[in-house]
Amino acid sequence: MGGAFLAAAVLARLGSRIELPTIPLFILAGILLGPHTPGIVLVKDPHELEMLSALGLVLLLFYLGLEFHLDDLKAGGRKMALAGGAYLALNVGAGLGFGFALGWGTSEALVLAGVLGISSSAIVTKVLVDMGRIGNPETKPILGIIVVEDIFLALYLAALQPILSGADSASAAVMDGGKAFGFLLLLALAARFGTKVVGRLMNTKDDELLVISFLGAAVLVAGVSEWFGVADAIGAFMVGLMLGGTTSGPRIRKLVHPLRDAFGAIFFFAFGLSINPGDLPTVLWPVLVAAAVTLVMNVAAGLTAARIFGFGAQPAANISTTLLARGEFALILATMAAGAGLDSRLAPFIAGYVLVLAVLGPLAAGRSHWLARILPGGGKGGDGGGPGGSEPLYAKDSGGREAPVTS
């Protein structure tokens, strides 16, 4: 464990000197020191870090929930649903078409629809934090799209599982989907009406007790969510949503930072451990084509979301690039596909595709202004904002992070 933390830290320090984002470097550390690469092997079995990796994902999404205010969801819920629906329609539809074009089989095409269609909540969260974009106006639709994706994810997994297992009973799929949707509804009602009660239960002046309390709540609800067929990450997100609106919210946001950063690094390191570089050359061309398709669909989805919210070129570019990365959900599908005995090319394809976009996504997000220049309205020399120039200009602050410029 110590070696994993230090290896990730050393590579991240080296990368920061040439302005590389930390996510691909943490993944690279896992690849180089994992069981599939010659040389020093820190972790022989990636499953040894499975629980800590899951905790990293839970804390990343818990923090995202803390930053996503319930008032934002109520105020822009319809627009967020439209933007999320458009994103899924473009990306899942393209993934399904790509799967059928490969000719690997119907079940394989359904798996690829999910792989290409759902962005990585963990990487999106890390990009928003690292780039200093939590306060940007386009961050709200980005978070809204993630919420819609996670709801779709729960229902998609429930529907896909009986297909991959060969079950011929539609009632089982309907029951699993209903159970997942019911639990999501329960979490939403708790977030809407239970904030005051939860706030009183969490309220304490002792930082130690507060850390233990919010960490226990996030992990417990994440575990229960998984039991109901809902992604553990969305359960943690909902807990963050509830606690963010309490009087303890600002203190929790401050206290969770070191936990989020440490275990988030382990999540990406463990992700790298699962990748076998030797398998990648056999699926190189399908991976590159899939990455290109995803990039095009993300730009289309970003422009659509920007139009829905009245944003200009720069926010559209930020939406497109921030949501580009694929990650944990694709790996879950790869595991399901392997267990179902599907085409053997699926696993290396998914690993290669996720690796390419996990590296490309953060890099593209940091250079989104390049994309903004070629988008409609981006080459006019203005701010690229909404009607009447109401959107803020974007510039680099003293830490190299992109932030709105206020008058």
Side-chain angles (χ1 to χ4, degrees), residues 111-292:
V111 170
L112 289 172
V115 170
L116 271 67
I118 307 293
S119 54
S120 168
S121 301
I123 296 179
V124 168
T125 306
K126 193 73 166 59
V127 166
L128 290 173
V129 172
D130 287 354
M131 299 291 176
R133 293 180 181 172
I134 290 292
N136 283 16
E138 75 277 1
T139 296
K140 292 177 183 177
I142 289 173
L143 300 185
I145 289 172
I146 288 179
V147 171
V148 173
E149 281 187 324
D150 282 335
I151 293 172
F152 172 80
L153 181 155
L155 301 177
Y156 184 78
L157 280 180
L160 188 62
Q161 183 61 53
I163 296 173
L164 295 185
S165 62
D168 49 15
S169 173
S171 60
V174 172
M175 186 173 294
D176 288 343
K179 186 172 70 171
F181 184 77
F183 186 71
L184 281 171
L185 183 60
L186 181 64
L187 287 176
L189 290 173
R192 174 67 179 86
F193 299 106
T195 302
K196 290 184 179 179
V197 175
V198 172
R200 284 197 293 267
L201 291 173
M202 285 284 166
N203 190 30
T204 175
K205 294 181 180 179
D206 191 312
D207 283 350
E208 180 184 11
L209 292 178
L210 184 58
V211 169
I212 294 170
S213 299
F214 75 68
L215 186 60
V219 175
L220 177 63
V221 174
V224 174
S225 299
E226 197 170 37
W227 188 80
F228 275 96
V230 177
D232 52 3
I234 190 64
F237 175 87
M238 296 302 289
V239 174
L241 191 64
M242 281 185 269
L243 296 183
T246 66
T247 54
S248 302
R251 286 174 60 210
I252 293 174
R253 275 190 284 273
K254 181 180 178 181
L255 291 169
V256 79
H257 274 194
L259 293 169
R260 178 205 69 197
D261 292 341
F263 289 100
I266 290 299
F267 171 82
F268 295 112
F269 181 86
F271 177 41
L273 292 175
S274 66
I275 295 175
N276 185 351
D279 291 337
L280 303 183
T282 61
V283 290
L284 178 61
W285 287 111
V287 164
L288 294 179
V289 172

Side-chain angles (χ1 to χ4, degrees), residues 13-59:
R13 282 173 177 265
L14 293 174
S16 67
R17 297 185 178 183
I18 53 175
E19 297 186 352
L20 283 177
T22 59
I23 294 169
L25 295 170
F26 292 153
I27 295 171
L28 179 62
I31 293 173
L32 294 177
L33 299 172
H36 306 297
T37 306
I40 299 172
V41 177
L42 279 181
V43 184
K44 292 182 180 179
D45 183 4
H47 293 293
E48 291 178 5
L49 296 183
E50 191 170 12
M51 181 60 72
L52 291 174
S53 173
L55 184 58
L57 179 60
V58 163
L59 287 171

Side-chain angles (χ1 to χ4, degrees), residues 324-395:
L324 181 60
R326 301 295 187 261
E328 61 279 0
F329 179 54
L331 297 181
I332 292 170
L333 282 173
T335 304
M336 290 174 62
L342 300 186
D343 196 300
S344 60
R345 291 169 291 185
L346 263 182
F349 168 83
I350 293 173
Y353 171 75
V354 169
L355 178 61
V356 167
L357 289 186
V359 173
L360 180 62
L363 290 173
R367 294 155 180 80
S368 60
H369 54 283
W370 293 354
L371 174 61
R373 292 172 187 167
I374 61 173
L375 292 180
K380 297 178 180 178
D383 61 6
S390 60
E391 278 299 308
L393 291 162
Y394 289 83

Side-chain angles (χ1 to χ4, degrees), residues 61-87:
L61 270 293
F62 173 71
Y63 177 78
L64 191 64
L66 289 171
E67 294 289 349
F68 192 85
H69 299 293
L70 200 58
D71 290 340
D72 296 335
L73 185 61
K74 289 187 289 186
R78 182 174 174 273
K79 289 183 177 180
M80 289 177 186
L82 285 173
Y87 187 91

